[in-house]
PDB file of all heavy atoms in Angstrom:
ATOM      1  N   LEU R 298      18.316   3.015 -15.222  1.00  0.00           N
ATOM      2  CA  LEU R 298      17.966   3.212 -13.881  1.00  0.00           C
ATOM      3  C   LEU R 298      16.695   4.107 -13.792  1.00  0.00           C
ATOM      4  O   LEU R 298      15.709   3.749 -12.998  1.00  0.00           O
ATOM      5  CB  LEU R 298      19.083   3.849 -13.038  1.00  0.00           C
ATOM      6  CG  LEU R 298      18.785   4.166 -11.584  1.00  0.00           C
ATOM      7  CD1 LEU R 298      18.450   2.864 -10.876  1.00  0.00           C
ATOM      8  CD2 LEU R 298      19.961   4.875 -10.966  1.00  0.00           C
ATOM      9  N   ILE R 299      16.540   5.131 -14.516  1.00  0.00           N
ATOM     10  CA  ILE R 299      15.385   5.948 -14.487  1.00  0.00           C
ATOM     11  C   ILE R 299      14.152   5.176 -15.025  1.00  0.00           C
ATOM     12  O   ILE R 299      13.084   5.253 -14.403  1.00  0.00           O
ATOM     13  CB  ILE R 299      15.574   7.251 -15.428  1.00  0.00           C
ATOM     14  CG1 ILE R 299      16.640   8.098 -14.696  1.00  0.00           C
ATOM     15  CG2 ILE R 299      14.295   7.927 -15.659  1.00  0.00           C
ATOM     16  CD1 ILE R 299      17.142   9.296 -15.605  1.00  0.00           C
ATOM     17  N   ARG R 300      14.357   4.405 -16.084  1.00  0.00           N
ATOM     18  CA  ARG R 300      13.255   3.584 -16.585  1.00  0.00           C
ATOM     19  C   ARG R 300      12.782   2.591 -15.533  1.00  0.00           C
ATOM     20  O   ARG R 300      11.573   2.444 -15.391  1.00  0.00           O
ATOM     21  CB  ARG R 300      13.694   2.870 -17.853  1.00  0.00           C
ATOM     22  CG  ARG R 300      12.630   2.043 -18.491  1.00  0.00           C
ATOM     23  CD  ARG R 300      13.069   1.279 -19.735  1.00  0.00           C
ATOM     24  NE  ARG R 300      14.271   0.481 -19.476  1.00  0.00           N
ATOM     25  CZ  ARG R 300      14.293  -0.720 -18.810  1.00  0.00           C
ATOM     26  NH1 ARG R 300      13.209  -1.188 -18.313  1.00  0.00           N
ATOM     27  NH2 ARG R 300      15.461  -1.322 -18.625  1.00  0.00           N
ATOM     28  N   ILE R 301      13.725   1.925 -14.851  1.00  0.00           N
ATOM     29  CA  ILE R 301      13.369   0.953 -13.850  1.00  0.00           C
ATOM     30  C   ILE R 301      12.692   1.635 -12.592  1.00  0.00           C
ATOM     31  O   ILE R 301      11.627   1.137 -12.135  1.00  0.00           O
ATOM     32  CB  ILE R 301      14.643   0.256 -13.356  1.00  0.00           C
ATOM     33  CG1 ILE R 301      15.166  -0.729 -14.486  1.00  0.00           C
ATOM     34  CG2 ILE R 301      14.332  -0.598 -12.087  1.00  0.00           C
ATOM     35  CD1 ILE R 301      16.516  -1.287 -14.276  1.00  0.00           C
ATOM     36  N   GLN R 302      13.141   2.804 -12.219  1.00  0.00           N
ATOM     37  CA  GLN R 302      12.462   3.618 -11.148  1.00  0.00           C
ATOM     38  C   GLN R 302      11.057   3.932 -11.525  1.00  0.00           C
ATOM     39  O   GLN R 302      10.091   3.842 -10.744  1.00  0.00           O
ATOM     40  CB  GLN R 302      13.278   4.778 -10.788  1.00  0.00           C
ATOM     41  CG  GLN R 302      14.502   4.511  -9.993  1.00  0.00           C
ATOM     42  CD  GLN R 302      15.414   5.742  -9.805  1.00  0.00           C
ATOM     43  OE1 GLN R 302      15.284   6.681 -10.534  1.00  0.00           O
ATOM     44  NE2 GLN R 302      16.212   5.691  -8.737  1.00  0.00           N
ATOM     45  N   ASP R 303      10.902   4.384 -12.740  1.00  0.00           N
ATOM     46  CA  ASP R 303       9.511   4.794 -13.209  1.00  0.00           C
ATOM     47  C   ASP R 303       8.630   3.542 -13.249  1.00  0.00           C
ATOM     48  O   ASP R 303       7.447   3.552 -12.851  1.00  0.00           O
ATOM     49  CB  ASP R 303       9.624   5.352 -14.633  1.00  0.00           C
ATOM     50  CG  ASP R 303      10.219   6.824 -14.596  1.00  0.00           C
ATOM     51  OD1 ASP R 303      10.324   7.393 -13.510  1.00  0.00           O
ATOM     52  OD2 ASP R 303      10.537   7.327 -15.691  1.00  0.00           O
ATOM     53  N   GLU R 304       9.162   2.371 -13.709  1.00  0.00           N
ATOM     54  CA  GLU R 304       8.399   1.215 -13.726  1.00  0.00           C
ATOM     55  C   GLU R 304       7.942   0.769 -12.273  1.00  0.00           C
ATOM     56  O   GLU R 304       6.771   0.420 -12.081  1.00  0.00           O
ATOM     57  CB  GLU R 304       9.187   0.064 -14.351  1.00  0.00           C
ATOM     58  CG  GLU R 304       8.585  -1.336 -14.285  1.00  0.00           C
ATOM     59  CD  GLU R 304       7.379  -1.608 -15.105  1.00  0.00           C
ATOM     60  OE1 GLU R 304       7.062  -0.754 -15.996  1.00  0.00           O
ATOM     61  OE2 GLU R 304       6.696  -2.542 -14.927  1.00  0.00           O
ATOM     62  N   MET R 305       8.856   0.875 -11.314  1.00  0.00           N
ATOM     63  CA  MET R 305       8.624   0.480  -9.958  1.00  0.00           C
ATOM     64  C   MET R 305       7.485   1.423  -9.389  1.00  0.00           C
ATOM     65  O   MET R 305       6.576   0.973  -8.710  1.00  0.00           O
ATOM     66  CB  MET R 305       9.841   0.528  -9.050  1.00  0.00           C
ATOM     67  CG  MET R 305       9.564   0.035  -7.686  1.00  0.00           C
ATOM     68  SD  MET R 305      11.084  -0.033  -6.741  1.00  0.00           S
ATOM     69  CE  MET R 305      10.444  -0.519  -5.158  1.00  0.00           C
ATOM     70  N   LYS R 306       7.633   2.803  -9.656  1.00  0.00           N
ATOM     71  CA  LYS R 306       6.630   3.726  -9.145  1.00  0.00           C
ATOM     72  C   LYS R 306       5.254   3.380  -9.691  1.00  0.00           C
ATOM     73  O   LYS R 306       4.228   3.549  -9.005  1.00  0.00           O
ATOM     74  CB  LYS R 306       7.041   5.143  -9.544  1.00  0.00           C
ATOM     75  CG  LYS R 306       8.221   5.630  -8.693  1.00  0.00           C
ATOM     76  CD  LYS R 306       8.530   7.058  -9.114  1.00  0.00           C
ATOM     77  CE  LYS R 306       9.762   7.533  -8.405  1.00  0.00           C
ATOM     78  NZ  LYS R 306      10.213   8.883  -8.921  1.00  0.00           N
ATOM     79  N   ALA R 307       5.129   2.896 -10.933  1.00  0.00           N
ATOM     80  CA  ALA R 307       3.884   2.563 -11.504  1.00  0.00           C
ATOM     81  C   ALA R 307       3.145   1.436 -10.751  1.00  0.00           C
ATOM     82  O   ALA R 307       1.923   1.236 -10.881  1.00  0.00           O
ATOM     83  CB  ALA R 307       4.019   2.235 -13.004  1.00  0.00           C
ATOM     84  N   HIS R 308       3.951   0.635  -9.990  1.00  0.00           N
ATOM     85  CA  HIS R 308       3.414  -0.545  -9.328  1.00  0.00           C
ATOM     86  C   HIS R 308       3.317  -0.314  -7.830  1.00  0.00           C
ATOM     87  O   HIS R 308       3.139  -1.265  -7.071  1.00  0.00           O
ATOM     88  CB  HIS R 308       4.211  -1.734  -9.685  1.00  0.00           C
ATOM     89  CG  HIS R 308       4.077  -2.215 -11.091  1.00  0.00           C
ATOM     90  ND1 HIS R 308       3.049  -2.885 -11.550  1.00  0.00           N
ATOM     91  CD2 HIS R 308       4.851  -1.980 -12.168  1.00  0.00           C
ATOM     92  CE1 HIS R 308       3.166  -3.050 -12.894  1.00  0.00           C
ATOM     93  NE2 HIS R 308       4.280  -2.591 -13.274  1.00  0.00           N
ATOM     94  N   THR R 309       3.551   0.937  -7.377  1.00  0.00           N
ATOM     95  CA  THR R 309       3.515   1.194  -5.926  1.00  0.00           C
ATOM     96  C   THR R 309       2.109   1.609  -5.490  1.00  0.00           C
ATOM     97  O   THR R 309       1.448   2.453  -6.117  1.00  0.00           O
ATOM     98  CB  THR R 309       4.568   2.357  -5.640  1.00  0.00           C
ATOM     99  OG1 THR R 309       5.861   1.897  -6.059  1.00  0.00           O
ATOM    100  CG2 THR R 309       4.535   2.664  -4.205  1.00  0.00           C
ATOM    101  N   ARG R 310       1.705   0.964  -4.342  1.00  0.00           N
ATOM    102  CA  ARG R 310       0.411   1.371  -3.793  1.00  0.00           C
ATOM    103  C   ARG R 310       0.695   1.621  -2.268  1.00  0.00           C
ATOM    104  O   ARG R 310       1.417   0.934  -1.659  1.00  0.00           O
ATOM    105  CB  ARG R 310      -0.588   0.240  -3.840  1.00  0.00           C
ATOM    106  CG  ARG R 310      -1.029  -0.091  -5.338  1.00  0.00           C
ATOM    107  CD  ARG R 310      -1.800   1.007  -5.957  1.00  0.00           C
ATOM    108  NE  ARG R 310      -2.064   0.715  -7.344  1.00  0.00           N
ATOM    109  CZ  ARG R 310      -1.257   1.035  -8.427  1.00  0.00           C
ATOM    110  NH1 ARG R 310      -0.076   1.458  -8.190  1.00  0.00           N
ATOM    111  NH2 ARG R 310      -1.598   0.718  -9.590  1.00  0.00           N
ATOM    112  N   GLU R 311      -0.169   2.527  -1.729  1.00  0.00           N
ATOM    113  CA  GLU R 311      -0.102   2.733  -0.322  1.00  0.00           C
ATOM    114  C   GLU R 311      -1.223   1.917   0.370  1.00  0.00           C
ATOM    115  O   GLU R 311      -2.328   2.020  -0.003  1.00  0.00           O
ATOM    116  CB  GLU R 311      -0.310   4.246  -0.032  1.00  0.00           C
ATOM    117  CG  GLU R 311      -0.214   4.549   1.432  1.00  0.00           C
ATOM    118  CD  GLU R 311      -0.353   6.048   1.705  1.00  0.00           C
ATOM    119  OE1 GLU R 311       0.477   6.816   1.115  1.00  0.00           O
ATOM    120  OE2 GLU R 311      -1.305   6.380   2.392  1.00  0.00           O
ATOM    121  N   PHE R 312      -0.772   1.182   1.450  1.00  0.00           N
ATOM    122  CA  PHE R 312      -1.738   0.369   2.223  1.00  0.00           C
ATOM    123  C   PHE R 312      -1.763   0.963   3.587  1.00  0.00           C
ATOM    124  O   PHE R 312      -0.713   1.377   4.154  1.00  0.00           O
ATOM    125  CB  PHE R 312      -1.367  -1.128   2.305  1.00  0.00           C
ATOM    126  CG  PHE R 312      -1.599  -1.833   1.102  1.00  0.00           C
ATOM    127  CD1 PHE R 312      -0.664  -1.881   0.048  1.00  0.00           C
ATOM    128  CD2 PHE R 312      -2.740  -2.515   0.929  1.00  0.00           C
ATOM    129  CE1 PHE R 312      -0.845  -2.660  -1.095  1.00  0.00           C
ATOM    130  CE2 PHE R 312      -2.991  -3.286  -0.238  1.00  0.00           C
ATOM    131  CZ  PHE R 312      -2.101  -3.395  -1.270  1.00  0.00           C
ATOM    132  N   ALA R 313      -2.952   1.020   4.163  1.00  0.00           N
ATOM    133  CA  ALA R 313      -3.132   1.397   5.532  1.00  0.00           C
ATOM    134  C   ALA R 313      -3.560   0.212   6.251  1.00  0.00           C
ATOM    135  O   ALA R 313      -4.619  -0.442   5.955  1.00  0.00           O
ATOM    136  CB  ALA R 313      -4.153   2.489   5.673  1.00  0.00           C
ATOM    137  N   LEU R 314      -2.784  -0.232   7.273  1.00  0.00           N
ATOM    138  CA  LEU R 314      -3.097  -1.378   8.103  1.00  0.00           C
ATOM    139  C   LEU R 314      -3.468  -0.879   9.428  1.00  0.00           C
ATOM    140  O   LEU R 314      -2.676  -0.326  10.239  1.00  0.00           O
ATOM    141  CB  LEU R 314      -1.913  -2.352   8.211  1.00  0.00           C
ATOM    142  CG  LEU R 314      -1.330  -2.878   6.846  1.00  0.00           C
ATOM    143  CD1 LEU R 314      -0.136  -3.650   7.099  1.00  0.00           C
ATOM    144  CD2 LEU R 314      -2.364  -3.669   6.126  1.00  0.00           C
ATOM    145  N   TRP R 315      -4.733  -1.018   9.831  1.00  0.00           N
ATOM    146  CA  TRP R 315      -5.265  -0.399  11.083  1.00  0.00           C
ATOM    147  C   TRP R 315      -5.925  -1.462  11.902  1.00  0.00           C
ATOM    148  O   TRP R 315      -7.188  -1.795  11.785  1.00  0.00           O
ATOM    149  CB  TRP R 315      -6.293   0.644  10.664  1.00  0.00           C
ATOM    150  CG  TRP R 315      -6.606   1.681  11.695  1.00  0.00           C
ATOM    151  CD1 TRP R 315      -6.135   1.717  12.989  1.00  0.00           C
ATOM    152  CD2 TRP R 315      -7.538   2.742  11.538  1.00  0.00           C
ATOM    153  NE1 TRP R 315      -6.684   2.765  13.630  1.00  0.00           N
ATOM    154  CE2 TRP R 315      -7.526   3.449  12.785  1.00  0.00           C
ATOM    155  CE3 TRP R 315      -8.218   3.188  10.475  1.00  0.00           C
ATOM    156  CZ2 TRP R 315      -8.261   4.590  12.929  1.00  0.00           C
ATOM    157  CZ3 TRP R 315      -8.972   4.390  10.634  1.00  0.00           C
ATOM    158  CH2 TRP R 315      -9.022   5.047  11.893  1.00  0.00           C
ATOM    159  N   PRO R 316      -5.170  -2.104  12.884  1.00  0.00           N
ATOM    160  CA  PRO R 316      -5.798  -3.221  13.649  1.00  0.00           C
ATOM    161  C   PRO R 316      -6.993  -2.785  14.443  1.00  0.00           C
ATOM    162  O   PRO R 316      -7.967  -3.647  14.652  1.00  0.00           O
ATOM    163  CB  PRO R 316      -4.604  -3.494  14.687  1.00  0.00           C
ATOM    164  CG  PRO R 316      -3.404  -3.201  13.815  1.00  0.00           C
ATOM    165  CD  PRO R 316      -3.790  -1.936  13.044  1.00  0.00           C
ATOM    166  N   LEU R 317      -7.203  -1.495  14.841  1.00  0.00           N
ATOM    167  CA  LEU R 317      -8.372  -1.044  15.506  1.00  0.00           C
ATOM    168  C   LEU R 317      -9.633  -1.356  14.671  1.00  0.00           C
ATOM    169  O   LEU R 317     -10.646  -1.889  15.182  1.00  0.00           O
ATOM    170  CB  LEU R 317      -8.302   0.422  15.795  1.00  0.00           C
ATOM    171  CG  LEU R 317      -9.591   1.027  16.419  1.00  0.00           C
ATOM    172  CD1 LEU R 317      -9.881   0.487  17.857  1.00  0.00           C
ATOM    173  CD2 LEU R 317      -9.536   2.555  16.500  1.00  0.00           C
ATOM    174  N   LYS R 318      -9.567  -1.116  13.375  1.00  0.00           N
ATOM    175  CA  LYS R 318     -10.723  -1.357  12.461  1.00  0.00           C
ATOM    176  C   LYS R 318     -10.913  -2.852  12.234  1.00  0.00           C
ATOM    177  O   LYS R 318     -12.052  -3.252  12.050  1.00  0.00           O
ATOM    178  CB  LYS R 318     -10.553  -0.640  11.147  1.00  0.00           C
ATOM    179  CG  LYS R 318     -10.610   0.895  11.321  1.00  0.00           C
ATOM    180  CD  LYS R 318     -12.006   1.263  11.868  1.00  0.00           C
ATOM    181  CE  LYS R 318     -12.085   2.758  12.210  1.00  0.00           C
ATOM    182  NZ  LYS R 318     -13.310   3.137  12.861  1.00  0.00           N
ATOM    183  N   TRP R 319      -9.873  -3.672  12.281  1.00  0.00           N
ATOM    184  CA  TRP R 319     -10.035  -5.041  12.181  1.00  0.00           C
ATOM    185  C   TRP R 319     -10.853  -5.626  13.400  1.00  0.00           C
ATOM    186  O   TRP R 319     -11.672  -6.450  13.233  1.00  0.00           O
ATOM    187  CB  TRP R 319      -8.645  -5.827  12.140  1.00  0.00           C
ATOM    188  CG  TRP R 319      -7.804  -5.383  11.029  1.00  0.00           C
ATOM    189  CD1 TRP R 319      -8.086  -4.652   9.858  1.00  0.00           C
ATOM    190  CD2 TRP R 319      -6.347  -5.551  11.012  1.00  0.00           C
ATOM    191  NE1 TRP R 319      -7.008  -4.430   9.090  1.00  0.00           N
ATOM    192  CE2 TRP R 319      -5.915  -4.944   9.713  1.00  0.00           C
ATOM    193  CE3 TRP R 319      -5.442  -6.140  11.820  1.00  0.00           C
ATOM    194  CZ2 TRP R 319      -4.599  -4.963   9.332  1.00  0.00           C
ATOM    195  CZ3 TRP R 319      -4.122  -6.092  11.416  1.00  0.00           C
ATOM    196  CH2 TRP R 319      -3.700  -5.617  10.175  1.00  0.00           C
ATOM    197  N   GLN R 320     -10.445  -5.072  14.590  1.00  0.00           N
ATOM    198  CA  GLN R 320     -11.071  -5.555  15.775  1.00  0.00           C
ATOM    199  C   GLN R 320     -12.494  -5.100  15.938  1.00  0.00           C
ATOM    200  O   GLN R 320     -13.350  -5.679  16.495  1.00  0.00           O
ATOM    201  CB  GLN R 320     -10.320  -4.969  17.032  1.00  0.00           C
ATOM    202  CG  GLN R 320      -8.930  -5.629  17.163  1.00  0.00           C
ATOM    203  CD  GLN R 320      -8.012  -4.818  18.044  1.00  0.00           C
ATOM    204  OE1 GLN R 320      -8.376  -3.786  18.568  1.00  0.00           O
ATOM    205  NE2 GLN R 320      -6.707  -5.188  18.099  1.00  0.00           N
ATOM    206  N   GLN R 321     -12.855  -3.931  15.315  1.00  0.00           N
ATOM    207  CA  GLN R 321     -14.205  -3.429  15.329  1.00  0.00           C
ATOM    208  C   GLN R 321     -15.106  -4.074  14.318  1.00  0.00           C
ATOM    209  O   GLN R 321     -16.371  -3.916  14.392  1.00  0.00           O
ATOM    210  CB  GLN R 321     -14.202  -1.904  15.110  1.00  0.00           C
ATOM    211  CG  GLN R 321     -13.578  -1.089  16.259  1.00  0.00           C
ATOM    212  CD  GLN R 321     -13.437   0.359  15.897  1.00  0.00           C
ATOM    213  OE1 GLN R 321     -13.622   0.745  14.792  1.00  0.00           O
ATOM    214  NE2 GLN R 321     -13.180   1.089  16.950  1.00  0.00           N
ATOM    215  N   TYR R 322     -14.557  -4.798  13.348  1.00  0.00           N
ATOM    216  CA  TYR R 322     -15.324  -5.441  12.344  1.00  0.00           C
ATOM    217  C   TYR R 322     -16.260  -6.531  12.945  1.00  0.00           C
ATOM    218  O   TYR R 322     -15.799  -7.326  13.778  1.00  0.00           O
ATOM    219  CB  TYR R 322     -14.452  -6.093  11.306  1.00  0.00           C
ATOM    220  CG  TYR R 322     -15.233  -6.806  10.191  1.00  0.00           C
ATOM    221  CD1 TYR R 322     -15.954  -6.138   9.175  1.00  0.00           C
ATOM    222  CD2 TYR R 322     -15.365  -8.222  10.247  1.00  0.00           C
ATOM    223  CE1 TYR R 322     -16.682  -6.891   8.280  1.00  0.00           C
ATOM    224  CE2 TYR R 322     -16.076  -8.936   9.326  1.00  0.00           C
ATOM    225  CZ  TYR R 322     -16.705  -8.212   8.350  1.00  0.00           C
ATOM    226  OH  TYR R 322     -17.521  -8.934   7.420  1.00  0.00           O
ATOM    227  N   VAL R 323     -17.501  -6.460  12.668  1.00  0.00           N
ATOM    228  CA  VAL R 323     -18.496  -7.520  13.139  1.00  0.00           C
ATOM    229  C   VAL R 323     -18.576  -8.625  12.133  1.00  0.00           C
ATOM    230  O   VAL R 323     -19.097  -8.370  10.985  1.00  0.00           O
ATOM    231  CB  VAL R 323     -19.872  -6.851  13.478  1.00  0.00           C
ATOM    232  CG1 VAL R 323     -20.802  -7.977  13.930  1.00  0.00           C
ATOM    233  CG2 VAL R 323     -19.653  -5.768  14.468  1.00  0.00           C
TER     234      VAL R 323
END
């Protein structure tokens, strides 16, 4: 379980989804 958790953490990324910036894109 510890090995699997460590493996999953190695593949975790934080994404910021910000519609305001999508709308401002020209």
Side-chain angles (χ1 to χ4, degrees):
L298 178 61
I299 292 169
R300 183 183 50 76
I301 290 168
Q302 287 175 333
D303 288 346
E304 171 71 12
M305 185 177 178
K306 284 179 187 176
H308 293 281
T309 301
R310 297 291 177 276
E311 181 178 301
F312 283 88
L314 303 174
W315 198 358
L317 174 67
K318 293 300 176 186
W319 303 341
Q320 294 161 2
Q321 291 174 347
Y322 177 77
V323 177

